[in-house]
Amino acid sequence: RRRDAPAWVRARARAQDWLEPWEASAPEVTAVPWIARQTVSSFLALRRAVRQGARRGTVLPFVITVDGAFAGMISVGEITRGAARSGALGYWVDERLAGRGIGTTAVALLVEHCFGPVGLHRLEAWVRPENTASRRLLTRVGFREEGLARDSLWVDGAWRDHLVFALCASDERGGSGAVQHISAERRSVG
């Protein structure tokens, strides 16, 4: 929503070191300094773009909230129908809230939504090999590592390798298994 703009700007403006090493953007976008890209007008442009994609059925954009407050974003983009029925997962959580399972819960909930009412069969997530936190999150939800895509995305000023993770609705933790699994995991730890 438009009212999320100030919280988005605050979270992103203070999170350059936290987000920039992992976030894919077009080379011409990253030519603009980070802080200059974290503005209300940037948020509104992003909002317009994802709303257009949502209307076309190619993007499922969501804001992550904690106790009613903005905490990050999660989306499935590049949605294809037909024989593939797939999409690409992306997410980020406010650095101040990291390590609390918020990203894991958001991903698990979105997996169930995609494999349930949305009717997708496969989700992919591309992660830089050095991003151990994101790799751990995806594995916890049930994604499996499938391989390395060399020089696949422009991130932090260069073409970077990414590990490809995937989860299918037919996998053990696909469908309704994602939330159930992380809930059971938390009960056994806590």
Side-chain angles (χ1 to χ4, degrees), residues 12-185:
R12 301 213 21 115
R14 70 174 173 265
Q16 180 174 359
D17 293 341
W18 173 250
L19 295 175
E20 195 171 36
W22 319 120
E23 194 166 274
S25 295
E28 60 275 11
V29 171
T30 58
V32 177
W34 176 267
I35 198 67
R37 291 182 272 142
Q38 314 313 318
T39 64
V40 170
S41 61
S42 297
F43 175 82
L44 295 176
L46 170 66
R47 182 179 176 272
R48 274 190 304 278
V50 296
R51 285 174 58 103
Q52 289 170 356
R55 281 195 283 279
R56 287 191 307 271
T58 59
V59 178
L60 290 171
F62 296 95
V63 167
I64 301 169
T65 61
V66 174
D67 298 327
F70 182 91
M73 296 180 74
I74 187 168
S75 65
V76 174
E78 302 175 26
I79 295 173
T80 60
R81 296 293 177 174
R85 293 191 183 256
S86 65
L89 174 68
Y91 52 88
W92 66 271
V93 173
D94 188 324
E95 181 179 15
R96 297 179 309 165
L97 301 170
R100 299 184 191 178
I102 294 162
T104 304
T105 301
V107 169
L109 288 167
L110 188 54
V111 162
E112 289 194 5
H113 181 64
C114 287
F115 291 159
V118 177
L120 297 182
H121 173 71
R122 177 183 169 89
L123 291 174
E124 288 186 1
W126 291 37
V127 179
R128 288 189 56 190
E130 314 86 88
N131 191 341
T132 56
S134 205
R135 291 171 61 188
R136 192 171 37 251
L137 180 157
L138 292 167
T139 301
R140 191 174 297 131
V141 174
F143 282 75
R144 69 190 168 285
E145 185 179 320
E146 293 190 329
L148 180 70
R150 291 190 23 88
D151 285 351
S152 55
L153 293 171
W154 185 265
V155 177
D156 198 20
W159 291 105
R160 308 285 182 173
D161 295 348
H162 281 73
L163 294 171
V164 179
F165 284 78
L167 182 64
C168 295
S170 56
D171 292 338
E172 179 183 341
R173 294 191 211 163
S176 63
V179 171
Q180 183 179 12
H181 176 76
I182 65 165
S183 296
E185 185 180 81

